Amino acid sequence: MSVDDVWQLRSVGRPQRLRDSSISSARPPPTVNRTAHPLSPILFTDPPPTMSLATYLSRFKSVSGSPTPSESLSLSQLAPSILNLTITDTPEQWTLYESLLLTTLRTGDDTSARLVLQRLSDRFGNSNARVMALQGIYDEATSSNHAQLEEVLKNYDEVLKEDPTNFPITKRRITLLHHLNKKTEAIAALTALLDLNPTDGECWSQLAQYYFEVSMFSQAIYCLEEVLLILPNAYNIHARLGEISCIAAETSGAGKEVEKLEASLRWYLRAVELCDGYLRGYYGVKMVTARLLQSKYSSATRTIPEEKVNKLNSVATVHLNDIVTGFEKNKKGFTGYNPAEVAAAKELLEADSSSS
Amino acid sequence: MSLPSKLLIAFSSLLLAHACYSAHEHSLLSTTTPSSSPAASSSSASSTTAGSAPAGSSLPLDMTLETLFSVSLLLLGLVLSGWELKPISLRAYAGMLESGKIQPDGVIGGKKGRGVFDALEERPGFLDIRKQRKEFTEWVKLEGSS
Protein backbone atom coordinates (compact mmCIF):
# COMPACT_ATOMS: atom_id res chain seq x y z
CA MET A 1 0.00 0.00 0.00
CA SER A 2 1.51 3.33 -0.95
CA VAL A 3 1.40 6.39 1.23
CA ASP A 4 -1.13 8.05 -1.04
CA ASP A 5 -3.51 5.14 -0.60
CA VAL A 6 -3.15 5.39 3.13
CA TRP A 7 -3.90 9.08 3.19
CA GLN A 8 -6.87 8.47 0.96
CA LEU A 9 -8.13 5.78 3.28
CA ARG A 10 -7.72 8.26 6.07
CA SER A 11 -10.05 10.72 4.45
CA VAL A 12 -12.74 8.07 3.88
CA GLY A 13 -13.87 8.68 7.45
CA ARG A 14 -17.36 7.35 7.87
CA PRO A 15 -19.65 8.56 10.69
CA GLN A 16 -18.96 7.15 14.11
CA ARG A 17 -19.48 3.44 14.34
CA LEU A 18 -19.06 1.71 17.63
CA ARG A 19 -20.31 -1.77 16.89
CA ASP A 20 -17.78 -4.30 15.88
CA SER A 21 -20.08 -6.04 13.41
CA SER A 22 -20.21 -3.27 10.86
CA ILE A 23 -16.45 -3.23 10.59
CA SER A 24 -15.97 -6.95 10.40
CA SER A 25 -18.60 -7.15 7.70
CA ALA A 26 -16.76 -4.57 5.66
CA ARG A 27 -13.31 -6.07 6.20
CA PRO A 28 -12.03 -9.58 6.62
CA PRO A 29 -12.17 -10.77 10.23
CA PRO A 30 -8.92 -10.23 12.11
CA THR A 31 -8.14 -13.92 12.32
CA VAL A 32 -7.39 -13.85 8.60
CA ASN A 33 -4.07 -12.28 9.64
CA ARG A 34 -2.82 -15.76 10.33
CA THR A 35 -2.30 -16.40 6.67
CA ALA A 36 -1.81 -12.81 5.54
CA HIS A 37 1.10 -12.02 7.81
CA PRO A 38 4.60 -12.70 6.54
CA LEU A 39 5.74 -13.88 9.97
CA SER A 40 2.67 -16.02 10.53
CA PRO A 41 4.48 -19.24 11.44
CA ILE A 42 6.22 -17.51 14.35
CA LEU A 43 3.56 -15.01 15.25
CA PHE A 44 0.60 -17.30 15.55
CA THR A 45 1.63 -20.59 17.01
CA ASP A 46 -1.32 -21.25 19.30
CA PRO A 47 -4.59 -19.35 19.68
CA PRO A 48 -4.32 -17.04 22.70
CA PRO A 49 -6.93 -17.59 25.42
CA THR A 50 -9.59 -14.94 25.82
CA MET A 51 -9.21 -12.63 28.80
CA SER A 52 -10.95 -9.56 30.13
CA LEU A 53 -10.15 -6.01 29.09
CA ALA A 54 -8.48 -5.25 32.43
CA THR A 55 -6.20 -8.27 32.07
CA TYR A 56 -5.12 -7.24 28.59
CA LEU A 57 -4.51 -3.69 29.77
CA SER A 58 -2.48 -4.97 32.69
CA ARG A 59 -0.28 -6.99 30.34
CA PHE A 60 0.37 -3.95 28.18
CA LYS A 61 1.08 -1.77 31.21
CA SER A 62 3.53 -4.26 32.69
CA VAL A 63 6.01 -3.79 29.83
CA SER A 64 7.96 -0.59 29.36
CA GLY A 65 7.61 1.98 26.58
CA SER A 66 10.33 0.32 24.56
CA PRO A 67 9.68 -3.41 25.04
CA THR A 68 12.08 -6.17 24.05
CA PRO A 69 11.27 -8.01 20.80
CA SER A 70 9.97 -11.10 22.60
CA GLU A 71 7.66 -8.94 24.75
CA SER A 72 6.39 -7.18 21.63
CA LEU A 73 5.78 -10.51 19.99
CA SER A 74 3.72 -11.94 22.83
CA LEU A 75 1.70 -8.72 23.05
CA SER A 76 1.18 -8.62 19.32
CA GLN A 77 -0.19 -12.15 19.44
CA LEU A 78 -3.05 -10.84 21.57
CA ALA A 79 -4.27 -8.69 18.67
CA PRO A 80 -6.94 -11.06 17.25
CA SER A 81 -8.55 -11.71 20.61
CA ILE A 82 -8.50 -8.03 21.61
CA LEU A 83 -10.07 -7.09 18.29
CA ASN A 84 -12.77 -9.70 18.86
CA LEU A 85 -13.81 -8.12 22.17
CA THR A 86 -17.00 -6.10 21.96
CA ILE A 87 -16.28 -2.38 21.87
CA THR A 88 -17.39 -0.88 25.17
CA ASP A 89 -16.35 2.71 24.45
CA THR A 90 -14.56 3.13 27.79
CA PRO A 91 -11.29 5.07 28.20
CA GLU A 92 -9.55 1.78 29.03
CA GLN A 93 -10.62 0.27 25.74
CA TRP A 94 -9.12 3.09 23.71
CA THR A 95 -5.92 3.14 25.79
CA LEU A 96 -5.61 -0.54 25.04
CA TYR A 97 -6.22 0.09 21.33
CA GLU A 98 -3.53 2.75 21.25
CA SER A 99 -0.94 0.44 22.83
CA LEU A 100 -2.05 -2.41 20.58
CA LEU A 101 -1.56 -0.24 17.50
CA LEU A 102 2.03 0.55 18.47
CA THR A 103 2.77 -3.08 19.31
CA THR A 104 1.38 -4.46 16.06
CA LEU A 105 3.37 -1.88 14.14
CA ARG A 106 6.51 -2.92 16.00
CA THR A 107 6.04 -6.54 14.99
CA GLY A 108 4.95 -5.71 11.44
CA ASP A 109 1.37 -6.96 11.81
CA ASP A 110 0.12 -4.14 9.59
CA THR A 111 -3.30 -5.64 8.87
CA SER A 112 -4.30 -5.59 12.54
CA ALA A 113 -2.76 -2.14 12.92
CA ARG A 114 -4.85 -0.85 10.02
CA LEU A 115 -8.02 -2.22 11.65
CA VAL A 116 -7.18 -0.73 15.07
CA LEU A 117 -6.41 2.64 13.52
CA GLN A 118 -9.65 2.54 11.54
CA ARG A 119 -11.66 1.96 14.71
CA LEU A 120 -9.84 4.75 16.53
CA SER A 121 -10.45 7.26 13.77
CA ASP A 122 -14.09 6.14 13.47
CA ARG A 123 -14.54 6.92 17.13
CA PHE A 124 -12.53 10.13 17.51
CA GLY A 125 -12.53 11.54 14.01
CA ASN A 126 -9.67 12.11 11.60
CA SER A 127 -9.00 15.64 12.81
CA ASN A 128 -8.23 14.59 16.40
CA ALA A 129 -4.58 15.53 17.05
CA ARG A 130 -3.79 12.26 18.77
CA VAL A 131 -5.39 10.15 16.05
CA MET A 132 -3.49 12.19 13.47
CA ALA A 133 -0.23 11.39 15.26
CA LEU A 134 -1.13 7.68 15.36
CA GLN A 135 -1.97 7.80 11.67
CA GLY A 136 1.43 9.40 11.14
CA ILE A 137 3.16 6.62 13.06
CA TYR A 138 1.32 4.07 10.90
CA ASP A 139 2.40 5.83 7.71
CA GLU A 140 6.01 6.03 8.88
CA ALA A 141 6.06 2.38 9.82
CA THR A 142 4.53 1.14 6.58
CA SER A 143 6.60 3.30 4.25
CA SER A 144 8.93 1.11 2.28
CA ASN A 145 11.38 3.61 0.87
CA HIS A 146 12.91 7.01 1.40
CA ALA A 147 10.59 8.81 -1.05
CA GLN A 148 7.51 7.64 0.84
CA LEU A 149 8.97 8.91 4.10
CA GLU A 150 9.59 12.28 2.48
CA GLU A 151 5.94 12.21 1.43
CA VAL A 152 4.87 11.61 5.05
CA LEU A 153 7.08 14.51 6.10
CA LYS A 154 5.38 16.73 3.54
CA ASN A 155 2.00 15.72 4.92
CA TYR A 156 3.15 16.73 8.42
CA ASP A 157 4.27 20.10 7.07
CA GLU A 158 0.85 20.65 5.50
CA VAL A 159 -0.96 19.79 8.72
CA LEU A 160 1.28 22.17 10.65
CA LYS A 161 0.71 24.94 8.14
CA GLU A 162 -2.99 24.82 8.99
CA ASP A 163 -2.53 24.37 12.73
CA PRO A 164 0.94 25.24 14.06
CA THR A 165 -0.08 24.27 17.61
CA ASN A 166 -0.70 20.61 16.81
CA PHE A 167 1.90 19.32 19.28
CA PRO A 168 1.59 15.55 18.61
CA ILE A 169 2.17 16.11 14.89
CA THR A 170 5.05 18.51 15.63
CA LYS A 171 6.68 15.78 17.69
CA ARG A 172 6.15 13.24 14.90
CA ARG A 173 7.75 15.62 12.42
CA ILE A 174 10.78 16.13 14.67
CA THR A 175 11.17 12.38 15.15
CA LEU A 176 10.95 11.75 11.42
CA LEU A 177 13.50 14.50 10.69
CA HIS A 178 15.86 12.88 13.17
CA HIS A 179 15.22 9.47 11.66
CA LEU A 180 16.02 10.81 8.19
CA ASN A 181 19.39 11.91 9.65
CA LYS A 182 18.54 15.62 9.49
CA LYS A 183 19.78 16.10 13.02
CA THR A 184 20.39 19.85 12.97
CA GLU A 185 16.91 20.42 11.51
CA ALA A 186 15.39 18.21 14.19
CA ILE A 187 17.18 20.16 16.92
CA ALA A 188 16.08 23.48 15.42
CA ALA A 189 12.45 22.30 15.19
CA LEU A 190 12.55 21.02 18.75
CA THR A 191 13.94 24.28 20.13
CA ALA A 192 11.18 26.12 18.25
CA LEU A 193 8.61 23.79 19.84
CA LEU A 194 10.12 24.46 23.27
CA ASP A 195 9.76 28.19 22.69
CA LEU A 196 6.04 27.60 22.25
CA ASN A 197 5.70 25.12 25.08
CA PRO A 198 8.54 25.38 27.59
CA THR A 199 6.90 23.29 30.35
CA ASP A 200 6.98 19.97 28.49
CA GLY A 201 9.55 17.77 30.25
CA GLU A 202 9.40 15.18 27.49
CA CYS A 203 10.59 17.72 24.90
CA TRP A 204 13.50 18.93 27.05
CA SER A 205 14.52 15.35 27.68
CA GLN A 206 14.38 14.54 23.96
CA LEU A 207 16.41 17.64 23.12
CA ALA A 208 19.02 16.53 25.66
CA GLN A 209 19.20 13.17 23.89
CA TYR A 210 19.69 14.85 20.48
CA TYR A 211 22.43 17.10 21.87
CA PHE A 212 24.04 14.11 23.53
CA GLU A 213 24.11 12.23 20.23
CA VAL A 214 26.07 15.04 18.58
CA SER A 215 28.40 15.23 21.65
CA MET A 216 27.21 18.66 22.79
CA PHE A 217 27.37 17.68 26.42
CA SER A 218 26.99 21.04 28.13
CA GLN A 219 23.83 21.72 26.10
CA ALA A 220 22.47 18.29 26.99
CA ILE A 221 23.15 18.94 30.68
CA TYR A 222 21.38 22.29 30.42
CA CYS A 223 18.28 20.62 28.90
CA LEU A 224 18.15 17.96 31.59
CA GLU A 225 18.44 20.65 34.25
CA GLU A 226 15.37 22.24 32.65
CA VAL A 227 13.57 18.91 33.08
CA LEU A 228 14.52 18.99 36.75
CA LEU A 229 12.97 22.45 37.06
CA ILE A 230 9.67 20.93 35.90
CA LEU A 231 9.98 17.62 37.77
CA PRO A 232 12.47 18.07 40.63
CA ASN A 233 12.00 14.51 41.91
CA ALA A 234 12.83 12.75 38.65
CA TYR A 235 15.62 10.56 40.02
CA ASN A 236 16.30 8.86 36.68
CA ILE A 237 17.07 12.26 35.16
CA HIS A 238 19.52 12.87 38.02
CA ALA A 239 21.20 9.59 37.15
CA ARG A 240 21.25 10.53 33.48
CA LEU A 241 22.90 13.84 34.38
CA GLY A 242 25.49 11.84 36.30
CA GLU A 243 26.12 9.66 33.27
CA ILE A 244 26.48 12.57 30.88
CA SER A 245 28.79 14.47 33.26
CA CYS A 246 30.90 11.36 33.60
CA ILE A 247 31.18 10.94 29.82
CA ALA A 248 31.88 14.67 29.46
CA ALA A 249 34.73 14.31 31.97
CA GLU A 250 36.45 11.85 29.64
CA THR A 251 36.50 14.22 26.71
CA SER A 252 37.23 17.43 28.59
CA GLY A 253 40.65 18.92 29.17
CA ALA A 254 42.88 17.67 31.94
CA GLY A 255 42.11 20.49 34.34
CA LYS A 256 38.35 20.11 34.23
CA GLU A 257 38.22 16.35 34.61
CA VAL A 258 38.04 16.15 38.40
CA GLU A 259 35.49 18.95 38.55
CA LYS A 260 33.19 17.11 36.14
CA LEU A 261 33.61 13.77 37.89
CA GLU A 262 32.68 15.41 41.18
CA ALA A 263 29.61 16.99 39.57
CA SER A 264 28.69 13.56 38.26
CA LEU A 265 29.11 12.05 41.72
CA ARG A 266 26.81 14.69 43.20
CA TRP A 267 24.09 13.94 40.61
CA TYR A 268 24.33 10.22 41.30
CA LEU A 269 24.16 10.78 45.05
CA ARG A 270 21.00 12.84 44.66
CA ALA A 271 19.47 10.07 42.53
CA VAL A 272 20.23 7.52 45.24
CA GLU A 273 18.81 9.87 47.84
CA LEU A 274 15.53 10.17 45.93
CA CYS A 275 15.09 6.47 45.29
CA ASP A 276 15.84 3.72 47.77
CA GLY A 277 17.93 0.87 46.37
CA TYR A 278 18.34 2.47 42.94
CA LEU A 279 20.65 0.12 41.07
CA ARG A 280 21.60 2.60 38.35
CA GLY A 281 22.40 5.25 40.95
CA TYR A 282 24.59 3.01 43.11
CA TYR A 283 26.35 1.72 40.01
CA GLY A 284 27.20 5.29 39.11
CA VAL A 285 28.37 6.16 42.62
CA LYS A 286 30.66 3.15 42.65
CA MET A 287 32.03 3.79 39.18
CA VAL A 288 32.68 7.50 39.69
CA THR A 289 34.22 7.13 43.15
CA ALA A 290 36.51 4.40 41.81
CA ARG A 291 37.67 6.76 39.08
CA LEU A 292 38.14 9.65 41.49
CA LEU A 293 40.33 7.45 43.70
CA GLN A 294 42.75 6.78 40.88
CA SER A 295 46.16 8.10 41.74
CA LYS A 296 46.50 10.27 38.63
CA TYR A 297 44.34 12.99 40.16
CA SER A 298 46.17 15.10 42.70
CA SER A 299 44.27 15.76 45.90
CA ALA A 300 44.80 19.50 45.48
CA THR A 301 42.23 19.74 42.68
CA ARG A 302 39.57 17.87 44.64
CA THR A 303 36.86 19.56 46.61
CA ILE A 304 35.43 16.37 48.10
CA PRO A 305 37.88 14.93 50.68
CA GLU A 306 39.37 11.56 49.85
CA GLU A 307 38.11 9.72 52.92
CA LYS A 308 34.57 10.76 52.04
CA VAL A 309 34.95 9.38 48.53
CA ASN A 310 36.35 6.18 49.99
CA LYS A 311 33.41 5.86 52.33
CA LEU A 312 30.91 6.46 49.53
CA ASN A 313 32.64 3.81 47.47
CA SER A 314 32.29 1.21 50.21
CA VAL A 315 28.66 2.14 50.87
CA ALA A 316 27.85 1.72 47.17
CA THR A 317 29.67 -1.62 47.14
CA VAL A 318 27.56 -2.86 50.05
CA HIS A 319 24.31 -1.83 48.36
CA LEU A 320 25.30 -3.29 44.99
CA ASN A 321 26.29 -6.55 46.68
CA ASP A 322 22.90 -6.67 48.39
CA ILE A 323 21.07 -6.18 45.12
CA VAL A 324 23.15 -8.67 43.15
CA THR A 325 22.88 -11.44 45.74
CA GLY A 326 19.20 -10.71 46.35
CA PHE A 327 18.49 -10.88 42.64
CA GLU A 328 20.46 -14.08 42.16
CA LYS A 329 18.72 -15.83 45.06
CA ASN A 330 15.37 -14.61 43.70
CA LYS A 331 14.56 -13.01 47.04
CA LYS A 332 11.27 -11.19 47.38
CA GLY A 333 11.71 -7.50 46.67
CA PHE A 334 14.69 -7.99 44.35
CA THR A 335 13.08 -9.76 41.40
CA GLY A 336 12.10 -6.66 39.46
CA TYR A 337 15.58 -5.42 38.56
CA ASN A 338 16.68 -5.46 34.96
CA PRO A 339 18.84 -8.62 34.50
CA ALA A 340 21.26 -6.80 32.18
CA GLU A 341 21.79 -4.04 34.77
CA VAL A 342 22.38 -6.58 37.53
CA ALA A 343 24.90 -8.40 35.32
CA ALA A 344 26.72 -5.10 34.68
CA ALA A 345 26.80 -4.35 38.41
CA LYS A 346 28.20 -7.80 39.10
CA GLU A 347 30.92 -7.27 36.52
CA LEU A 348 31.83 -3.93 38.11
CA LEU A 349 32.03 -5.52 41.56
CA GLU A 350 34.21 -8.36 40.27
CA ALA A 351 36.53 -5.98 38.43
CA ASP A 352 36.85 -3.95 41.62
CA SER A 353 37.60 -6.90 43.88
CA SER A 354 40.22 -8.29 41.49
CA SER A 355 42.05 -4.97 41.17
CA SER A 356 42.24 -4.24 44.89
CA MET B 1 -0.99 -10.90 62.10
CA SER B 2 1.60 -11.40 64.81
CA LEU B 3 0.96 -13.46 67.94
CA PRO B 4 1.36 -10.69 70.57
CA SER B 5 -1.18 -8.49 68.83
CA LYS B 6 -3.57 -11.44 68.53
CA LEU B 7 -3.27 -12.09 72.26
CA LEU B 8 -3.72 -8.40 72.98
CA ILE B 9 -6.90 -8.25 70.88
CA ALA B 10 -8.31 -11.40 72.51
CA PHE B 11 -7.52 -10.19 76.04
CA SER B 12 -8.92 -6.70 75.51
CA SER B 13 -12.10 -8.07 73.86
CA LEU B 14 -12.61 -10.30 76.87
CA LEU B 15 -12.08 -7.35 79.18
CA LEU B 16 -14.52 -5.22 77.18
CA ALA B 17 -17.14 -7.97 77.22
CA HIS B 18 -16.65 -8.30 80.97
CA ALA B 19 -17.05 -4.56 81.47
CA CYS B 20 -20.24 -4.52 79.41
CA TYR B 21 -21.65 -7.46 81.28
CA SER B 22 -20.87 -5.86 84.65
CA ALA B 23 -22.46 -2.60 83.59
CA HIS B 24 -25.55 -4.44 82.40
CA GLU B 25 -25.84 -6.42 85.61
CA HIS B 26 -25.32 -3.27 87.64
CA SER B 27 -28.14 -1.45 85.84
CA LEU B 28 -30.41 -4.47 86.37
CA LEU B 29 -29.55 -4.49 90.03
CA SER B 30 -30.30 -0.81 90.50
CA THR B 31 -33.68 -1.02 88.70
CA THR B 32 -34.82 -4.26 90.34
CA THR B 33 -33.88 -3.33 93.88
CA PRO B 34 -36.72 -0.85 94.39
CA SER B 35 -39.32 -3.04 92.59
CA SER B 36 -38.48 -6.14 94.66
CA SER B 37 -39.31 -4.21 97.82
CA PRO B 38 -42.20 -1.98 96.78
CA ALA B 39 -43.39 -1.65 100.35
CA ALA B 40 -40.08 -0.57 101.65
CA SER B 41 -39.98 1.62 104.66
CA SER B 42 -39.58 5.36 104.29
CA SER B 43 -36.20 5.13 105.96
CA SER B 44 -34.81 3.03 103.10
CA ALA B 45 -36.52 5.20 100.48
CA SER B 46 -33.63 7.62 100.40
CA SER B 47 -31.19 4.82 99.55
CA THR B 48 -33.47 3.43 96.79
CA THR B 49 -33.83 6.81 95.13
CA ALA B 50 -30.07 7.06 95.18
CA GLY B 51 -29.87 3.61 93.55
CA SER B 52 -32.37 4.41 90.78
CA ALA B 53 -30.67 7.66 89.89
CA PRO B 54 -29.38 7.91 86.25
CA ALA B 55 -27.26 4.81 85.68
CA GLY B 56 -24.30 6.71 84.17
CA SER B 57 -23.61 8.69 87.26
CA SER B 58 -23.97 5.78 89.62
CA LEU B 59 -21.82 3.33 87.63
CA PRO B 60 -18.92 2.28 89.83
CA LEU B 61 -15.57 3.79 88.95
CA ASP B 62 -13.90 0.40 88.37
CA MET B 63 -16.33 -0.49 85.56
CA THR B 64 -15.77 2.85 83.79
CA LEU B 65 -12.02 2.41 84.07
CA GLU B 66 -12.21 -1.19 82.84
CA THR B 67 -14.20 -0.13 79.77
CA LEU B 68 -11.82 2.68 78.87
CA PHE B 69 -8.77 0.51 79.51
CA SER B 70 -10.09 -2.39 77.39
CA VAL B 71 -11.05 -0.13 74.48
CA SER B 72 -7.65 1.51 74.39
CA LEU B 73 -5.93 -1.88 74.56
CA LEU B 74 -8.15 -3.15 71.75
CA LEU B 75 -7.25 -0.16 69.58
CA LEU B 76 -3.57 -0.67 70.28
CA GLY B 77 -3.90 -4.34 69.38
CA LEU B 78 -5.61 -3.54 66.07
CA VAL B 79 -3.08 -0.90 65.12
CA LEU B 80 -0.16 -3.18 65.95
CA SER B 81 -1.70 -6.19 64.22
CA GLY B 82 0.91 -5.93 61.49
CA TRP B 83 -0.82 -5.08 58.24
CA GLU B 84 1.58 -3.73 55.70
CA LEU B 85 1.53 0.06 55.56
CA LYS B 86 1.66 1.74 52.17
CA PRO B 87 4.85 3.71 51.46
CA ILE B 88 4.18 7.43 51.72
CA SER B 89 7.62 8.85 50.93
CA LEU B 90 8.81 9.01 47.34
CA ARG B 91 12.12 7.43 48.28
CA ALA B 92 10.45 4.30 49.67
CA TYR B 93 7.75 4.13 47.03
CA ALA B 94 10.11 4.60 44.10
CA GLY B 95 12.52 2.06 45.57
CA MET B 96 9.79 -0.56 45.91
CA LEU B 97 8.57 0.12 42.39
CA GLU B 98 12.09 -0.14 40.95
CA SER B 99 12.82 -3.41 42.70
CA GLY B 100 9.50 -4.95 41.69
CA LYS B 101 8.25 -5.29 45.27
CA ILE B 102 5.05 -3.47 44.39
CA GLN B 103 3.41 -2.88 41.02
CA PRO B 104 1.82 0.32 39.71
CA ASP B 105 -1.96 0.65 39.60
CA GLY B 106 -3.68 -1.51 37.03
CA VAL B 107 -0.92 -4.10 36.73
CA ILE B 108 -1.88 -7.51 38.02
CA GLY B 109 0.72 -10.12 38.82
CA GLY B 110 3.61 -8.39 37.05
CA LYS B 111 7.14 -9.00 38.23
CA LYS B 112 9.21 -6.37 36.45
CA GLY B 113 10.32 -3.22 38.23
CA ARG B 114 9.26 0.15 36.85
CA GLY B 115 10.41 3.67 37.50
CA VAL B 116 8.11 6.51 38.48
CA PHE B 117 9.55 8.82 35.84
CA ASP B 118 10.29 6.29 33.10
CA ALA B 119 8.15 8.22 30.61
CA LEU B 120 10.82 10.97 30.60
CA GLU B 121 13.31 8.54 29.12
CA GLU B 122 10.96 6.50 26.96
CA ARG B 123 9.27 9.61 25.52
CA PRO B 124 6.20 8.09 23.81
CA GLY B 125 5.59 11.32 21.87
CA PHE B 126 8.91 10.90 20.07
CA LEU B 127 8.59 7.17 19.42
CA ASP B 128 10.88 6.14 16.54
CA ILE B 129 8.69 3.35 15.21
CA ARG B 130 10.89 2.48 12.25
CA LYS B 131 13.90 1.87 14.48
CA GLN B 132 11.90 -0.44 16.76
CA ARG B 133 10.46 -2.23 13.74
CA LYS B 134 13.94 -2.81 12.38
CA GLU B 135 15.12 -4.15 15.73
CA PHE B 136 12.21 -6.56 15.74
CA THR B 137 12.86 -7.93 12.23
CA GLU B 138 16.54 -8.35 13.09
CA TRP B 139 15.58 -10.26 16.21
CA VAL B 140 13.23 -12.51 14.20
CA LYS B 141 16.03 -13.26 11.71
CA LEU B 142 18.36 -14.09 14.56
CA GLU B 143 15.79 -16.37 16.19
CA GLY B 144 15.07 -18.02 12.85
CA SER B 145 18.73 -18.75 12.13
CA SER B 146 19.58 -20.11 15.56
Side-chain angles (χ1 to χ4, degrees), chain A residues 106 140 172 202 205-206 336, chain B residues 113 120 123 125 127 130 132:
Chain A
R106 262 178 214 127
E140 284 174 38
R172 289 312 321 153
E202 190 189 25
S205 180
Q206 185 69 30
Chain B
L120 278 176
R123 298 183 289 267
L127 172 77
R130 290 183 71 81
Q132 294 191 351

Side-chain angles (χ1 to χ4, degrees), chain A residues 300-322:
Chain A
T301 53
R302 285 193 201 142
T303 54
I304 305 175
E306 185 162 350
E307 63 264 41
K308 216 173 200 172
V309 178
N310 248 324
K311 223 172 168 180
L312 286 171
N313 188 308
S314 50
V315 168
T317 313
V318 169
H319 279 279
L320 283 178
N321 257 326
D322 273 358

Side-chain angles (χ1 to χ4, degrees), chain A residues 219-236:
Chain A
Q219 281 85 347
I221 288 172
Y222 175 87
C223 293
L224 289 179
E225 283 172 351
E226 287 289 330
V227 178
L228 289 186
L229 289 181
I230 302 162
L231 292 162
N233 290 331
Y235 53 88
N236 55 349

Side-chain angles (χ1 to χ4, degrees), chain A residues 256-330:
Chain A
K256 292 255 180 180
E257 218 170 334
V258 176
E259 190 189 320
K260 284 195 171 146
L261 279 178
E262 285 185 345
S264 164
L265 179 59
R266 287 198 178 94
W267 287 121
Y268 275 127
L269 288 176
R270 180 74 179 136
V272 171
E273 190 187 351
L274 285 169
C275 177
D276 195 20
Y278 189 35
L279 176 55
R280 187 172 161 193
Y282 281 122
Y283 183 92
V285 172
K286 170 110 184 110
M287 187 181 65
V288 174
T289 47
R291 281 178 59 178
L292 271 173
L293 288 172
Q294 284 168 4
S295 50
K296 65 174 174 175
Y297 303 122
S298 70
S299 55
T301 53
R302 285 193 201 142
T303 54
I304 305 175
E306 185 162 350
E307 63 264 41
K308 216 173 200 172
V309 178
N310 248 324
K311 223 172 168 180
L312 286 171
N313 188 308
S314 50
V315 168
T317 313
V318 169
H319 279 279
L320 283 178
N321 257 326
D322 273 358
I323 293 171
V324 170
T325 49
F327 183 80
E328 281 176 348
K329 287 181 183 159
N330 228 346

